[in-house]
Amino acid sequence: MAIELGWGPTYTSSTDDHGVGAIKWDSDGNAYRWVEVVDLDLAVGDVVYPASTSTWQVTQDISGGSRLTALVCGVAVVAVDISEAKYAFVQVGGICPDVLGDGDVAAGDAVIGDVAGADGVADTMAAGEEAAVFGYALEADSGSPTTFACQLKGII
């Protein structure tokens, strides 16, 4: 078995070490995409959105950033300080243990990005929002910060 240096879900870098857009899998079958984070720092569990039409730049900033769509394209699995290391992996498939919720997510709910609420937060899908679903809550959101485990749809 070969060992690939500089890879792990929580790896961050100040340089594009993997080629923005590269996808990697861990031994549990979870998928991660290497991205460039723009606009705001990320916390673990932040949902992110596309911020470029031509490359894998992402943002969690729904109110004043460069978000292009309401469709979530990943979940942060590591805190990212963009002034120090703006490249990181976001989870795009599998079981994600920590997704930030809005406090109203119940187990079994289909979830979307909360584009009418706080930056980086997921919300329960309402009627007519089916196309924006990025996963299904495996438990109710709780704790501080408010998080929940989620089965991601495979937003690769």
Side-chain angles (χ1 to χ4, degrees):
M1 174 190 226
I3 296 175
E4 182 177 351
L5 300 177
W7 150 241
T10 59
Y11 177 74
T12 63
S13 180
S14 61
T15 59
D16 183 6
D17 299 344
H18 298 283
V20 170
I23 297 175
K24 303 213 180 258
W25 284 263
D26 68 15
S27 61
D28 293 324
N30 297 311
Y32 304 86
R33 183 181 303 276
W34 184 247
V35 297
E36 179 183 1
V37 180
V38 299
D39 297 326
L40 295 174
D41 296 341
L42 296 181
V44 172
D46 278 342
V47 297
V48 297
Y49 305 88
S52 170
T53 60
S54 61
T55 186
W56 280 99
Q57 288 184 329
V58 301
T59 184
Q60 58 104 338
D61 189 355
I62 59 166
S63 55
S66 51
R67 174 182 64 89
L68 298 177
T69 73
L71 185 60
V72 169
C73 66
V75 178
V77 293
V78 64
V80 176
D81 178 345
I82 61 175
S83 68
E84 294 187 18
K86 64 182 180 175
Y87 295 95
F89 287 101
V90 294
Q91 190 166 351
V92 295
I95 305 299
C96 186
D98 294 302
V99 177
L100 289 174
D102 67 350
D104 293 323
V105 175
D109 282 355
V111 291
I112 62 170
D114 188 2
V115 295
D119 292 336
V121 174
D123 189 12
T124 300
M125 175 204 77
E129 298 176 321
E130 293 82 1
V133 171
F134 71 89
Y136 295 88
L138 299 174
E139 61 187 357
D141 57 359
S142 64
S144 181
T146 306
T147 63
F148 62 96
C150 184
Q151 176 187 358
L152 300 179
K153 267 180 64 172
I155 43 183
I156 299 173

